[in-house]
């Protein structure tokens, strides 16, 4: 086949114009695939016609492409996901998390408070135990006193204030069986600093004092009742104010109270 | 070839390929339509319809039956001719003058169309009258060779040869 003659026949120009029959179009197409010269010729014709027809365009709408794309639904504007980003699971999760956190804090706080309460209660309890113990001690003392007071064998010896100390008084409960006295010294003033009360057992004929000891704990003792051992056959009891540590014999100028044991027949 | 690939992608409804082909041929189609309807606004309207129709019928295009350019050129010519036959168009355009395409080619610089077409316009206008006639019928009006032969009262062989020589002349103008 004479390619050159074929090209020169002008059929390719008609091909580009769309002026050929369908059968002729298919023939040209087939030949184009076989002969690059024919294809090249068609491309050049097409390019020239494209230029020619473009030359007759005027005031082409520059926005036409955008309009077309919009009408065809191209490049749809990025539609925000209508589905909420956070669904109920997320919300529930966060809510649960917040509740748990709050609950945890509350628990920790409560625990702290309870620990503190327990500590307070423990302290109070030990304080109360001390009080109970003290009360028990006091109760025992009181019971002892009551038993002493009720005991028929107890000899009561009131000690009256002497001389300058007439306002003072004391009382001795003498339990001869147990060889002890209970001295109620509530009627004595607090001894001045450096001084102590000293308790004496006396026999009258001849007048002989025997020291029963000093009341060293006078100030700190609440009920001012002192239990003192007494092995003597006392006929009277006296209380003097002596220098700390006590004296060998009573200082008579400082004799506060004195009482004679009533003779029982 | 790149163009074949573009057309193939276009057939597969590739939006990017469509856009490329639009950029390659839309001005030409606008020109062809404008030559028929002689109204740039209506030409814009019809051109949009043409490309939308092309997109919707992309699957029907077959390379064996002709060039893609020829295919869309046919759609454009038919759409433009349909437009001139519509009632609204006829009412608005009572007297369509019978000028040829060369009469609407701008030879001065236009602010709106800074295309190469303007530059070559003045040369195209110098095409011989016999060329203008045959080009008008075959390319702008979509006449078949038989129809052109009848309209110009010339044998088909003469049409083909004359057209061949005219296009050669055109190619010398626009492709250099």
């Amino acid at each position: 086949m004479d390619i050159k003659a074929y090209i020169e026949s002008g059929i390719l120009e008609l091909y580009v114009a769309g002026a050929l029959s369908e059968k002729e179009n298919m023939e040209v197409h087939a030949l184009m695939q076989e002969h690059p010269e024919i294809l090249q010729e068609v491309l050049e014709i097409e390019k020239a016609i494209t230029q020619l027809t473009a030359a007759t365009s005027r005031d082409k709408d520059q926005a036409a492409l955008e309009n077309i794309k919009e009408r065809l639904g191209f490049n749809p504007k990025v539609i925000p996901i209508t589905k909420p980003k956070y669904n109920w699971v997320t919300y529930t999760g966060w809510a649960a998390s917040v509740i748990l956190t709050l609950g945890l804090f509350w628990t920790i706080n409560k625990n702290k408070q309870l620990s503190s309460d327990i500590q307070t209660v423990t302290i109070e309890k030990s304080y109360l135990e001390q009080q109970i113990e003290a009360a028990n001690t006091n109760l025992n003392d009181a019971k002892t006193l009551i038993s002493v007071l009720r005991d028929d064998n107890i000899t009561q010896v009131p000690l009256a204030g002497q001389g300058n100390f007439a306002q003072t008084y004391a009382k001795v409960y003498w339990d001869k069986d147990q060889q002890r006295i209970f001295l109620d010294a509530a009627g004595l003033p607090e001894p001045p600093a450096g001084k102590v009360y000293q308790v004496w057992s006396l026999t009258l004929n001849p007048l002989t004092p025997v020291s029963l000891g000093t009341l060293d704990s006078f100030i700190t003792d609440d009920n001012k009742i002192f239990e003192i051992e007494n092995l003597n056959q006392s006929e009277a009891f006296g209380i003097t104010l002596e220098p700390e540590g006590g004296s060998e014999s009573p200082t008579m100028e400082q004799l506060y109270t004195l009482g004679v044991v009533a003779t029982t027949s | 070839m790149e163009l074949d690939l573009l057309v193939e992608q276009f057939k597969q409804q590739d939006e990017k390929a469509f856009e490329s082909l639009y950029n390659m041929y839309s001005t030409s189609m606008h020109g062809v339509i404008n030559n028929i309807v002689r109204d740039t606004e209506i030409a814009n309207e019809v051109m949009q319809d043409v490309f939308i129709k092309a997109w919707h019928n992309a699957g029907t295009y077959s390379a064996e039956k002709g060039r893609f350019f020829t295919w869309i050129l046919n759609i454009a010519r038919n759409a433009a001719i349909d437009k001139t036959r519509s009632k609204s168009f006829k009412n608005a355009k009572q007297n369509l003058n019978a000028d040829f395409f060369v009469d609407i080619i701008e030879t001065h610089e236009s602010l709106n169309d800074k295309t190469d077409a303007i530059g070559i316009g003045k040369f195209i206008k110098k095409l011989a009258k016999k060329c203008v006639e045959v080009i008008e019928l075959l390319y702008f009006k979509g006449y078949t060779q038989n129809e052109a032969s009848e309209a110009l009262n010339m044998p088909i062989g003469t049409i083909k040869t004359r057209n061949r020589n005219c296009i050669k002349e055109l190619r010398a103008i626009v492709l250099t």
Side-chain angles (χ1 to χ4, degrees):
Chain A
M1 182 184 180
D2 189 344
I3 302 301
K4 204 159 182 187
Y6 183 76
I7 289 171
E8 288 301 327
S9 74
I11 192 172
L12 299 180
E13 282 79 2
L14 294 184
Y15 173 69
V16 172
L20 300 179
S21 68
E22 194 165 316
K23 187 171 169 260
E24 287 171 311
N25 281 335
M26 290 174 86
E27 282 169 10
V28 173
H29 180 258
L31 287 169
M32 264 191 333
Q33 309 304 306
E34 280 175 52
H35 308 283
E37 313 97 289
I38 294 178
L39 175 62
Q40 188 56 38
E41 187 71 12
V42 167
L43 290 176
E44 284 187 22
I45 294 164
E46 185 175 292
K47 196 173 177 193
I49 302 301
T50 306
Q51 296 263 27
L52 170 75
T53 48
T56 59
S57 166
R58 210 187 317 160
D59 300 330
K60 194 183 96 177
D61 182 5
Q62 298 304 309
L65 179 59
E66 287 309 312
N67 284 338
I68 291 166
K69 283 161 73 177
E70 205 179 307
R71 282 169 70 183
L72 289 177
F74 285 10
N75 300 332
K77 308 271 184 296
V78 179
I79 298 163
I81 301 164
T82 49
K83 204 175 95 180
K85 271 184 192 166
Y86 306 110
N87 55 18
W88 66 271
V89 175
T90 320
Y91 284 122
T92 312
W94 278 109
S97 152
V98 167
I99 289 167
L100 272 177
T101 309
L102 289 178
L104 190 64
F105 273 113
W106 185 82
T107 309
I108 289 171
N109 218 30
K110 194 77 189 166
N111 190 38
K112 227 182 219 170
Q113 198 184 322
L114 286 175
S115 296
S116 164
D117 284 354
I118 286 171
Q119 205 171 2
T120 308
V121 168
T122 307
I123 292 169
E124 277 179 3
K125 188 184 153 214
S126 73
Y127 175 70
L128 283 173
E129 278 174 351
Q130 282 178 356
Q131 281 193 324
I132 287 168
E133 207 170 282
N136 278 340
T137 309
N138 283 346
L139 182 64
N140 285 336
D141 289 351
K143 276 181 178 169
T144 309
L145 272 179
I146 287 167
S147 72
V148 165
L149 290 174
R150 284 179 177 162
D151 197 332
D152 281 346
N153 295 323
I154 300 288
T155 307
Q156 295 185 21
V157 186
L159 308 185
Q162 303 295 309
N164 290 336
F165 313 109
Q167 299 304 314
T168 68
Y169 60 91
K171 200 165 188 177
V172 167
Y173 300 88
W174 186 9
D175 182 357
K176 290 180 180 169
D177 291 346
Q178 300 290 324
Q179 295 189 318
R180 61 181 179 178
I181 63 164
F182 291 93
L183 171 64
D184 180 1
L188 294 175
E190 279 191 13
K195 302 281 188 178
V196 288
Y197 288 115
Q198 191 163 6
V199 183
W200 305 90
S201 165
L202 306 164
T203 52
L204 299 173
N205 285 308
L207 186 64
T208 314
V210 176
S211 175
L212 294 180
T214 53
L215 304 180
D216 294 336
S217 61
F218 184 88
I219 293 172
T220 56
D221 196 297
D222 279 337
N223 57 14
K224 310 292 186 212
I225 289 173
F226 304 92
E227 186 181 341
I228 303 165
E229 190 180 45
N230 182 21
L231 305 173
N232 306 291
Q233 294 300 311
S234 307
E235 290 172 352
F237 295 98
I239 298 172
T240 59
L241 189 70
E242 303 293 342
E244 238 172 325
S247 304
E248 287 287 311
S249 57
T251 307
M252 293 316 287
E253 296 79 30
Q254 295 295 322
L255 177 65
Y256 272 59
T257 58
L258 181 69
V260 178
V261 177
T263 48
T264 49
S265 54
Chain B
M1 210 193 105
E2 208 176 301
L3 181 58
D4 289 347
L5 185 66
L6 262 184
V7 171
E8 190 50 42
Q9 288 172 333
F10 164 76
K11 281 190 71 177
Q12 307 297 322
Q13 301 280 284
D14 185 304
E15 296 178 7
K16 278 258 156 58
F18 172 85
E19 206 169 324
S20 297
L21 291 170
Y22 174 91
N23 289 331
M24 288 168 74
Y25 300 123
S26 63
T27 307
S28 295
M29 295 311 121
H30 187 254
V32 169
I33 297 161
N34 186 39
N35 186 53
I36 294 171
V37 303
R38 300 296 168 109
D39 182 311
T40 56
E41 269 192 42
I42 292 172
N44 277 320
E45 197 184 300
V46 174
M47 181 194 70
Q48 289 193 25
D49 292 342
V50 165
F51 278 90
I52 282 164
K53 193 175 181 188
W55 175 258
H56 289 316
N57 294 302
T60 68
Y61 169 73
S62 163
E64 288 182 3
K65 293 180 189 171
R67 301 288 298 165
F68 173 82
F69 170 80
T70 309
W71 182 71
I72 198 163
L73 176 65
N74 256 322
I75 296 174
R77 286 187 301 220
N78 290 337
I81 290 164
D82 281 354
K83 188 72 187 176
T84 61
R85 286 172 184 161
S86 73
K87 229 174 198 170
S88 61
F89 186 88
K90 278 181 177 166
N91 290 340
K93 304 261 173 183
Q94 290 293 339
N95 305 307
L96 258 187
N97 57 39
D99 291 344
F100 293 117
F101 70 94
V102 284
D103 300 316
I104 59 169
I105 288 176
E106 298 263 46
T107 52
H108 59 275
E109 285 292 328
S110 160
L111 284 177
N112 291 332
D113 292 293
K114 288 197 169 174
T115 60
D116 290 344
I118 305 300
I120 62 172
K122 56 188 172 192
F123 297 107
I124 293 171
K125 278 176 100 72
K126 287 176 184 169
L127 282 170
K129 179 86 189 301
K130 56 177 186 174
C131 284
V132 170
E133 283 175 345
V134 75
I135 287 173
E136 173 81 18
L137 294 183
L138 289 174
Y139 298 96
F140 286 92
K141 294 282 163 64
Y143 279 37
T144 64
Q145 49 188 339
N146 290 327
E147 286 167 342
S149 166
E150 247 172 68
L152 294 176
N153 202 18
M154 265 183 251
I156 289 176
T158 310
I159 296 282
K160 282 167 77 175
T161 316
R162 178 180 288 188
N163 185 50
R164 165 76 184 163
N165 291 329
C166 290
I167 297 303
K168 259 188 183 169
E169 208 177 311
L170 176 71
R171 283 163 66 181
I173 295 168
V174 302
L175 302 180
T176 46

